[in-house]
Amino acid sequence: MQVKIQPSLRMGTILLLFLFTSEEACAEFLIKSVELIIQPRNEVQRGTDVLLICKAEVSHIAGSQLIYKYTFYKDYHLLNTDQTNATDSFYSIPDARVAHSGKYKCTVESGKQKKKSSAKDLTVKGLLAPVLTVDKLRLTEGDDVTAVCTAEGETGFLTFFFRDGPEELYQQATDSHKVEQKLTLDKGTVNMFCYYSINLGITAERSSNSNVISVDIEELGIKPDITVMPSTNITEGDNITFSCSMNMTHKRNSEHRIIFSHGHTMLSSNMIHGNYTTLAKANDSGEYECISILGVVHKSSSLIITVKEIFSIPFLAIHPTEVFEGENFTITCQISSLTSRIQKKDIKYSIFRDETFVINDNRYSGTAGKATNGKYVCKAEANRITKESSMLMLAAKVLVSKPAITVDGPVIVDKPFWIRCHSENGSLPIIYSLKRNNLILNWINVSRFQEKARFLALISTPSDISSYLCEAENNGQVSIKMSERLHVTVIVPVGKPLLTVLPVPENIEEGNDVTLICGITKGSPPISFRFYGSNHTAIHTTTVQSNSSSFVLSTVKRKNSGNYYCEAFNTAGMSSRSDIVKVEVSLAMWKKALIAVFCMLLVALLVLFIVMRYKAKRGKREMAAKLSVKPASPKSDDSLTLSLNHDPHYNAHTEHMLFGEKHTSFS
């Protein structure tokens, strides 16, 4: 009995065999090369059956069972995968189309070995000519026609084009083999055809044109006629009437309307019944148009109107052109030309300020000020025509106010500083002048609001500051204003300080209090004084409102000896140093007396020691002389002497005492 094995079971068996034998197989075979073969050839015509053969050359041990995985690619994208124990695999492309053109390659994989073929090009020639169909061959202007372009049997991403000769009607890209679209065609006859193209990477293949279909479009008779009365050349003040009419051969619904316009301005949204009448003005010259609209169909007629001015636009002028508050001014309104239809006396003038009536005349005079400032216009009227001049602004200039004089930053003697002049009120430009008493030192013309009038100045004494004044003017001599004299604090830099030491440096003893006094001859307070001791070390700093300061060194010692000096400085930013004073601290009086007494005692003891030493040596010599003349037999005294000499407790002092007494008895 034959047992039929299911395909899924067979595939599973192959996979298991592949997994369990892959390690052993790797050592039993070698994939030497892989080749892709395209049959019948690399370039074929549309409709050809194409076969791709992936063939592997493999060396293996006889009797080994190998499973190969074949993978096919088109334009480097995965196309198909197959597993078999054969050394070749097939991929079929039946009824090939241009969309199948591209680069093909394959890979063979078994175990840990994988090899790929070289890429080969497949070119499929011949695109099928598309077929064009329409739902109607005759239609009325404004109607739609449905057109269908079909490329039967073509695959891939196609782009369809609908054309009327060189004019493109529509374009659409799709992955379908046909496109259907409603088209709105112009009047006349349209010779429509279509074609398509397919994208092949860097190139595109274009089909031949489809069949041509002629579609006849019947024109709608809705073009309007435009007329004007009395004529296209008129004068201002004339009545002019426009009319739009047409002879409709197609009766349509109420959506039909006629628009009447002048340039870009719509004068009437529906003139299908009626006229448009207006009073002609100079700015009415130009093109007028009647536009008939029915659905998507527009038709128009136009004409050009020329309107001659009856009189020119009035011109407004102010005299003088610049006026200051309190000065008189005159406003005049004039026209430069007029036609023979009217005379100058027929023109009526009116002057307005800020749209408020001022006077019925072409002349207005007044005194400049806040009440007369504003925007002025004049109107001229004749023969039912009113014309308005351009707007003219009257803003009376303000006379400069008394300037204020100030300074920027501190004022220091013999150092440059800035003087500022400023008037709170006054129309620009303003001329500011810096004066010293009656002499003008410098001037500046300020014509912008952000500008400042600043002058560089210098003084040598504090009293010089009040000699500066500021002058401002913006309308000649009559507008000159003078500031007050400049009064600000002047800083005098400190002079060279003098350091005084009390008591005088030659009479300073240990334990005394020493006072250091630092003083200056000039300088604006507050003054800062700094005292320096030996090794140039600051020992005291103070700030005072006077021109001197002191510092006391309490109970000085010898180590306080050294060079002393002081510095003085103020807000002028400059310091000055005194000369160096040498201070020597001597011993205290009682220490001197104690040393003197000690020295005297030391001398006395030294003298006494010398005297006693001298006497001792002299006595020894006299004793020796006397002993040299005595008898040879010893006496009791001699025995005593000998015994004493042998006494270990005998010393020089004992000898001196004995002999001294002896000497005394001999004498």
Side-chain angles (χ1 to χ4, degrees):
M1 180 179 178
Q2 186 177 2
V3 179
K4 187 177 181 181
I5 300 175
Q6 297 294 328
S8 60
L9 181 59
R10 185 184 300 112
M11 182 58 70
T13 303
I14 293 174
L15 288 175
L16 287 173
L17 181 62
F18 174 76
L19 292 173
F20 285 111
T21 62
S22 60
E23 292 295 331
E24 297 177 2
C26 282
E28 297 176 354
F29 76 98
L30 174 66
I31 302 175
K32 299 175 66 176
S33 64
V34 176
E35 180 184 9
L36 178 66
I37 302 172
I38 301 177
Q39 291 184 351
R41 54 192 167 276
N42 289 48
E43 184 174 321
V44 297
Q45 290 296 317
R46 176 184 181 277
T48 304
D49 293 334
V50 177
L51 185 64
L52 304 180
I53 304 172
C54 188
K55 189 174 184 61
E57 183 181 355
V58 182
S59 297
H60 58 86
I61 297 175
S64 58
Q65 296 293 324
L66 300 175
I67 301 299
Y68 303 101
K69 179 183 177 182
Y70 292 88
T71 305
F72 291 87
Y73 297 89
K74 177 182 182 291
D75 295 330
Y76 305 101
H77 296 290
L78 179 64
L79 188 63
N80 184 61
T81 300
D82 184 29
Q83 288 187 347
T84 180
N85 56 4
T87 57
D88 54 13
S89 182
F90 307 94
Y91 179 77
S92 177
I93 306 175
D95 195 16
R97 296 289 187 265
V98 173
H100 293 123
S101 298
K103 287 185 178 294
Y104 289 84
K105 73 174 184 176
C106 69
T107 62
V108 178
E109 184 177 357
S110 183
K112 293 184 178 180
Q113 294 190 44
K114 182 178 181 180
K115 208 162 190 69
K116 64 181 179 179
S117 71
S118 58
K120 290 191 175 182
D121 291 321
L122 172 62
T123 303
V124 181
K125 292 289 187 178
L127 286 174
L128 183 67
V131 177
L132 176 66
T133 59
V134 294
D135 64 341
K136 51 185 129 179
L137 297 176
R138 296 183 63 85
L139 61 151
T140 303
E141 187 179 8
D143 291 342
D144 294 331
V145 61
T146 300
V148 180
C149 188
T150 305
E152 194 66 46
E154 290 297 341
T155 60
F157 197 74
L158 308 178
T159 302
F160 287 87
F161 300 85
F162 294 84
R163 302 185 74 90
D164 174 18
E167 181 184 357
E168 185 175 293
L169 303 176
Y170 183 68
Q171 172 186 331
Q172 181 180 331
T174 179
D175 56 3
S176 175
H177 67 281
K178 72 175 182 178
V179 166
E180 180 178 328
Q181 180 63 29
K182 285 187 176 182
L183 302 175
T184 301
L185 306 178
D186 293 335
K187 64 181 184 295
T189 299
V190 174
N191 295 313
M192 189 189 310
F193 65 91
C194 70
Y195 64 89
Y196 63 94
S197 66
I198 182 169
N199 190 359
L200 300 176
I202 60 174
T203 62
E205 190 79 13
R206 181 190 185 280
S207 74
S208 57
N209 294 340
S210 72
N211 54 305
V212 179
I213 297 179
S214 296
V215 179
D216 294 325
I217 301 98
E218 183 181 357
E219 182 179 359
L220 283 176
I222 61 171
K223 182 175 181 179
D225 294 323
I226 182 171
T227 58
V228 62
M229 294 295 292
S231 71
T232 57
N233 293 300
I234 55 176
T235 304
E236 281 184 310
D238 293 343
N239 285 324
I240 183 171
T241 301
F242 297 91
S243 63
C244 296
S245 62
M246 64 182 180
N247 181 18
M248 290 188 59
T249 59
H250 294 79
K251 299 297 181 182
R252 294 295 176 114
N253 56 36
S254 59
E255 293 182 358
H256 181 216
R257 60 196 181 102
I258 296 178
I259 293 175
F260 180 62
S261 64
H262 175 211
H264 297 291
T265 303
M266 183 184 295
L267 302 178
S268 175
S269 61
N270 194 355
M271 271 185 60
I272 198 166
H273 302 293
N275 300 323
Y276 180 83
T277 301
T278 185
L279 185 69
K281 299 176 183 176
N283 57 1
D284 289 336
S285 296
E287 184 180 24
Y288 289 79
E289 187 175 18
C290 292
I291 306 172
S292 177
I293 302 174
L294 181 58
V296 296
V297 181
H298 298 179
K299 296 184 182 295
S300 65
S301 298
S302 64
L303 53 78
I304 295 176
I305 298 297
T306 302
V307 181
K308 183 181 180 181
E309 281 189 328
I310 193 171
F311 60 88
S312 61
I313 296 175
F315 173 76
L316 189 67
I318 299 178
H319 306 280
T321 54
E322 287 188 353
V323 58
F324 280 82
E325 290 181 346
E327 294 181 343
N328 294 326
F329 70 93
T330 300
I331 295 178
T332 57
C333 185
Q334 296 177 341
I335 60 172
S336 59
S337 63
L338 70 164
T339 64
S340 58
R341 288 192 182 186
I342 60 171
Q343 297 180 354
K344 286 188 176 182
K345 64 179 182 178
D346 298 328
I347 301 175
K348 307 299 182 185
Y349 295 94
S350 302
I351 296 178
F352 296 80
R353 179 180 60 244
D354 296 332
E355 299 182 356
T356 302
F357 172 77
V358 176
I359 191 173
N360 275 326
D361 199 350
N362 67 338
R363 186 181 182 88
Y364 169 67
S365 298
T367 301
K370 292 182 179 180
T372 57
N373 288 342
K375 299 175 183 177
Y376 285 82
V377 296
C378 78
K379 294 181 181 180
E381 182 180 359
N383 199 25
R384 298 183 300 166
I385 297 297
T386 301
K387 295 187 179 182
E388 186 175 294
S389 71
S390 299
M391 184 271 296
L392 196 61
M393 183 72 186
L394 173 62
K397 301 185 73 172
V398 179
L399 289 172
V400 68
S401 60
K402 181 179 179 179
I405 184 169
T406 57
V407 296
D408 287 344
V411 178
I412 301 172
V413 171
D414 292 329
K415 290 186 71 175
F417 63 95
W418 288 99
I419 293 179
R420 183 191 295 269
C421 296
H422 176 69
S423 294
E424 191 66 29
N425 298 312
S427 299
L428 299 177
I430 299 175
I431 298 175
Y432 292 96
S433 301
L434 179 67
K435 303 181 72 174
R436 188 161 187 178
N437 294 324
N438 294 323
L439 178 65
I440 295 178
L441 302 178
N442 201 356
W443 64 273
I444 186 171
N445 189 334
V446 175
S447 57
R448 294 180 296 176
F449 287 106
Q450 63 269 28
E451 274 190 286
K452 306 296 180 184
R454 299 173 71 224
F455 304 94
L456 199 61
L458 183 72
I459 58 173
S460 56
T461 64
S463 60
D464 291 343
I465 196 69
S466 60
S467 63
Y468 287 100
L469 301 99
C470 203
E471 182 181 275
E473 59 98 355
N474 64 347
N475 192 28
Q477 293 292 325
V478 297
S479 63
I480 291 178
K481 299 289 191 306
M482 190 74 70
S483 72
E484 300 291 341
R485 290 184 177 273
L486 181 60
H487 292 289
V488 294
T489 301
V490 178
I491 301 172
V492 179
V494 297
K496 183 175 181 178
L498 174 66
L499 179 65
T500 304
V501 181
L502 296 177
V504 293
E506 296 81 6
N507 296 331
I508 299 175
E509 297 179 351
E510 283 184 314
N512 289 157
D513 290 343
V514 176
T515 301
L516 305 177
I517 303 172
C518 189
I520 56 173
T521 57
K522 64 176 182 177
S524 299
I527 310 294
S528 294
F529 293 94
R530 183 174 288 131
F531 296 85
Y532 293 85
S534 57
N535 299 324
H536 303 283
T537 303
I539 57 177
H540 180 65
T541 301
T542 184
T543 301
V544 297
Q545 295 295 325
S546 59
N547 61 352
S548 66
S549 180
S550 62
F551 175 63
V552 177
L553 296 170
S554 301
T555 317
V556 296
K557 297 180 176 57
R558 294 290 299 277
K559 66 179 182 180
N560 294 123
S561 298
N563 295 326
Y564 287 78
Y565 63 91
C566 67
E567 283 183 350
F569 54 92
N570 61 2
T571 52
M574 296 179 293
S575 62
S576 184
R577 177 184 293 186
S578 71
D579 293 332
I580 293 176
V581 176
K582 187 174 183 180
V583 174
E584 190 70 38
V585 180
S586 61
L587 290 173
M589 188 60 70
W590 65 271
K591 287 185 178 181
K592 293 179 181 179
L594 182 61
I595 292 172
V597 171
F598 177 77
C599 291
M600 293 175 65
L601 287 174
L602 185 62
V603 171
L605 289 173
L606 182 62
V607 172
L608 179 61
F609 174 76
I610 294 172
V611 171
M612 291 180 66
R613 184 73 175 170
Y614 175 75
K615 287 182 178 182
K617 289 182 178 182
R618 183 179 177 184
K620 287 181 180 181
R621 288 195 298 270
E622 290 177 355
M623 180 60 69
K626 289 180 180 183
L627 289 176
S628 65
V629 296
K630 287 184 179 182
S633 58
K635 295 185 178 181
S636 58
D637 291 340
D638 295 331
S639 60
L640 177 61
T641 304
L642 292 172
S643 63
L644 290 173
N645 287 335
H646 291 284
D647 186 353
H649 300 289
Y650 177 81
N651 54 34
H653 180 67
T654 306
E655 180 184 358
H656 170 75
M657 294 300 296
L658 290 174
F659 284 108
E661 293 179 359
K662 189 184 294 185
H663 293 164
T664 303
S665 62
F666 289 154
S667 61

